[in-house]
Amino acid sequence: MSIFPLPPGSTIGVLGGGQLGRMLAMAAARLGFDTVILTPEAGACASRVAARTIAAAYDDPEGLDTLAQFADVVTFEFENVPAAAVEGLAALGVETAPGPLALAIAQDRVDEKIFLNASGAPTVDFAAIDSAEDILAALDRLGAPALLKTRREGYDGKGQTWVESHADAAAAFERIGRAPAILEARADFVRELSVIAARGRDGDIVAYPLGENHHEGGVLRRTSAPAEVSAALTAQAQTIAARILTKLDYVGVIGIELFELKDGQLLVNEIAPRVHNTGHWTLDGCEVDQFEQHIRAVAGWPLGPVTPLAHVEMENLLGSEIEAWPTLAREAQARVWFYGKGRPRPGRKMGHVNRLRPLKD
Ligand code: AMP
């Protein structure tokens, strides 16, 4: 018999202890769930709002065994959880949501692009790269400049470099540490957008209004949502999201980053099989935010409404910007979310602010 829907009082396991885990735990608590966090990081910011923390490496058999004892279902808050962790949990009879397929695909940029195109979610042209010679051959097809990214473990613009020309190929391969990589044609985009969507255990799919995103140095700076987009563009994004979620037999919230081209076509940049920074605006802008939505999906509850209630400008607080907290706390339109992290290293995501204004009619 299915254990779903999980009743309040059940326990949700989360692999990862960062701010996404923290906000998941807060949402879970509101629905009457306890959260148990597994993280190798001492003093993780999610641990301080969770019922219990297991301090262990993600693939530590003992840690996973303890997690399996406490948790009724396990989810993750970042996509570089080793596949061995999810397999280990499955062997112990614990389900993870999203499942291992979504995790595996999001961990490898080449597999991800192959999957997306096969799903009917278009991307830029690309080539798999294992040597400087591969780059030279791919440049002939993709044109220069092209963006070289490591296949695995890149995030927030890390492990990426532009290849300016054929003459730059060998040096570019050195710059990313000669790791297996992908070379991507340059997307000539007019805007970066994202769609946060969710799929429930019953196959129901919802998508939030699009967010317009601004990055600096590869890191998200601001999201403005709902973005000013045509109904046709929204429909295009919803179709893309539905195709991806259905093909992955997905359960939970997914973040899909999009490029909007001049002609109005959307290309998928990447998918994140988890709650997403560009969805933080939903915390104050929507009836049910992305964190509650994810917990609902994972627990087998019906999905909640994604209706926007306000326009939100979400701004990340990076590094020492958190020191402006007294001023931010005084701002009437600003809803502050501070992650309770320790030292503000440069570029570290320390919190975010949602500034609200009424929706246009
Ligand atoms: P990513 O780590 O893949 O999300 O890339 C970080 C940022 O680099 C994106 O938000 C874009 O601004 C830019 N970018 C990524 N891929 C491309 C591409 N193929 N063409 C142009 N810009 C890109």
Side-chain angles (χ1 to χ4, degrees):
M1 225 184 64
S2 168
I3 57 166
F4 301 108
L6 293 179
S10 305
T11 299
I12 313 271
V14 180
L15 295 166
Q19 68 270 15
L20 301 179
R22 179 179 172 105
M23 291 184 275
L24 282 171
M26 290 161 78
R30 175 177 163 175
L31 301 184
F33 296 117
D34 280 343
T35 304
V36 52
I37 304 278
L38 186 147
T39 174
E41 189 198 339
C45 74
S47 299
R48 297 199 300 284
V49 300
R52 184 182 295 273
T53 293
I54 300 161
Y58 294 114
D59 50 3
D60 172 48
E62 238 175 87
L64 291 173
D65 199 52
T66 313
L67 183 64
Q69 280 172 36
F70 285 111
D72 295 294
V73 67
V74 173
T75 187
F76 42 87
E77 59 114 49
F78 81 124
E79 59 272 36
N80 288 327
V81 171
V86 174
E87 286 156 13
L89 287 166
L92 294 165
V94 184
E95 200 178 326
T96 62
L101 176 63
L103 195 62
I105 280 171
Q107 285 180 353
D108 185 305
R109 290 184 189 274
V110 173
D111 292 348
E112 181 179 356
K113 287 232 172 14
I114 292 169
F115 165 82
L116 287 168
N117 285 291
S119 311
T123 70
V124 291
D125 287 336
F126 64 96
I129 300 296
D130 289 307
S131 66
E133 291 70 42
D134 288 348
I135 299 177
L136 290 174
L139 279 176
D140 292 339
R141 181 164 61 84
L142 304 175
L147 192 51
L148 185 66
K149 304 177 178 177
T150 54
R151 275 177 83 138
R152 302 178 74 87
E153 310 224 325
Y155 65 95
D156 285 349
K158 295 190 175 68
Q160 304 191 6
T161 187
W162 284 99
V163 186
E164 299 298 338
S165 63
H166 283 71
D168 187 31
F173 198 47
E174 290 295 334
R175 289 199 290 278
I176 61 154
R178 304 177 63 83
I182 185 171
L183 190 67
E184 296 185 7
R186 184 175 64 172
D188 193 11
F189 57 81
V190 289
R191 277 195 296 184
E192 292 193 74
L193 302 167
S194 59
V195 57
I196 306 297
R199 185 167 177 273
R201 289 193 182 272
D202 55 3
D204 192 20
I205 290 176
V206 294
Y208 288 93
L210 302 192
E212 178 175 334
N213 306 316
H214 299 271
H215 295 85
E216 276 169 27
V219 181
L220 183 69
R221 187 73 262 185
R222 297 189 316 278
T223 297
S224 172
E228 285 194 28
V229 291
S230 65
L233 206 76
T234 299
Q236 206 186 137
Q238 286 172 344
T239 302
I240 286 173
R243 285 178 178 164
I244 295 170
L245 289 171
T246 306
K247 184 110 176 179
L248 287 173
D249 195 19
Y250 196 89
V251 172
V253 164
I254 193 168
I256 304 174
E257 295 183 22
L258 301 163
F259 296 134
E260 180 190 0
L261 305 185
K262 249 189 242 113
D263 63 2
Q265 204 208 342
L266 292 176
L267 299 181
V268 178
N269 173 28
E270 63 179 2
I271 58 175
R274 53 170 169 77
V275 286
H276 198 246
N277 195 168
T278 68
H280 288 2
W281 72 275
T282 64
L283 283 163
D284 299 297
C286 289
E287 284 189 27
V288 166
D289 65 72
Q290 64 163 347
F291 298 95
E292 177 175 335
Q293 197 73 272
H294 186 71
I295 298 295
R296 280 174 166 267
V298 164
W301 287 25
L303 298 181
V306 290
T307 322
L309 302 174
H311 182 95
V312 180
E313 294 285 334
M314 190 287 303
E315 188 186 358
N316 271 341
L317 300 172
L318 305 175
S320 59
E321 289 165 7
I322 190 72
E323 283 156 18
W325 71 264
T327 314
L328 296 167
R330 237 181 278 125
E331 247 187 75
Q333 306 308 321
R335 315 300 308 144
V336 293
W337 294 81
F338 300 150
Y339 305 151
K341 290 185 178 175
R343 244 179 308 127
R345 288 192 300 273
R348 191 177 190 198
K349 290 177 179 170
M350 302 299 291
H352 70 269
V353 187
N354 282 335
R355 293 190 174 86
L356 274 59
R357 63 171 194 266
L359 285 171
K360 285 192 194 135
D361 291 328

